[in-house]
Amino acid sequence: MELHDLFNEKPTKLWRERMIEEEEDFYTEESLLSCDKVLDDYLNRLLSLQESKTPEKIMKAVEETILALNDVNDEHDYFIETSEREELAEFIDKAARLAGLEIEEGHDITLEWREW
């Protein structure tokens, strides 16, 4: 798997399916689009950093993504709950690893900044 493959594996894809199949009103199209934009920006930023594999720059991208997701969650009535948090954290971790960040097993790189 490569970093660019993750554009098709964002957690928002699962959330959109849940919204349609389960007729969930928990998610809105606006909240999903806002999350998609943040995650697309994150992946694009990591793609631009992939050659250098600079851990500090990758972690800065992680931090800014988490802060942006905090804002999206605030703006859209706190829809990021346990399963969404786990799916986002896993996605962000996987992308960072594919970009070249070495992460200790079991370490949550999102914990320091996230409010969800």
Side-chain angles (χ1 to χ4, degrees):
M1 167 157 304
E2 294 187 31
L3 191 53
H4 67 273
D5 295 331
L6 292 183
F7 281 100
N8 295 318
E9 292 192 21
K10 293 180 289 195
T12 49
K13 183 177 180 181
L14 292 171
W15 303 348
R16 190 167 272 108
E17 290 170 7
R18 286 182 202 148
M19 185 173 77
I20 293 167
E21 290 171 10
E22 300 170 20
E23 297 181 10
E24 278 286 340
D25 59 358
F26 188 62
Y27 307 108
T28 64
E29 194 58 37
E30 294 80 21
S31 66
L32 296 180
L33 288 172
S34 294
C35 270
D36 270 338
K37 182 185 180 333
V38 170
L39 296 176
D40 285 345
D41 289 349
Y42 174 59
L43 292 175
N44 283 320
R45 187 153 173 206
L46 291 181
L47 283 167
S48 73
L49 296 171
Q50 207 169 16
E51 291 301 313
S52 67
K53 293 185 172 35
T54 309
E56 295 80 15
K57 289 182 179 178
I58 295 171
M59 282 307 297
K60 186 68 176 165
V62 169
E63 176 185 357
E64 290 175 3
T65 299
I66 300 305
L67 295 176
L69 287 168
N70 288 344
D71 290 343
V72 169
N73 195 38
D74 287 346
E75 291 167 17
H76 296 280
D77 298 322
Y78 306 99
F79 69 98
I80 299 176
E81 294 196 352
T82 304
S83 60
E84 291 80 16
R85 180 188 70 234
E86 291 169 358
E87 292 160 351
L88 279 170
E90 182 180 319
F91 178 85
I92 290 165
D93 181 277
K94 185 176 193 176
R97 287 176 192 270
L98 288 171
L101 186 66
E102 293 181 19
I103 304 167
E104 192 178 306
E105 196 60 43
H107 178 70
D108 182 351
I109 61 172
T110 70
L111 188 60
E112 184 176 344
W113 304 285
R114 69 176 153 83
E115 298 171 357
W116 29 271

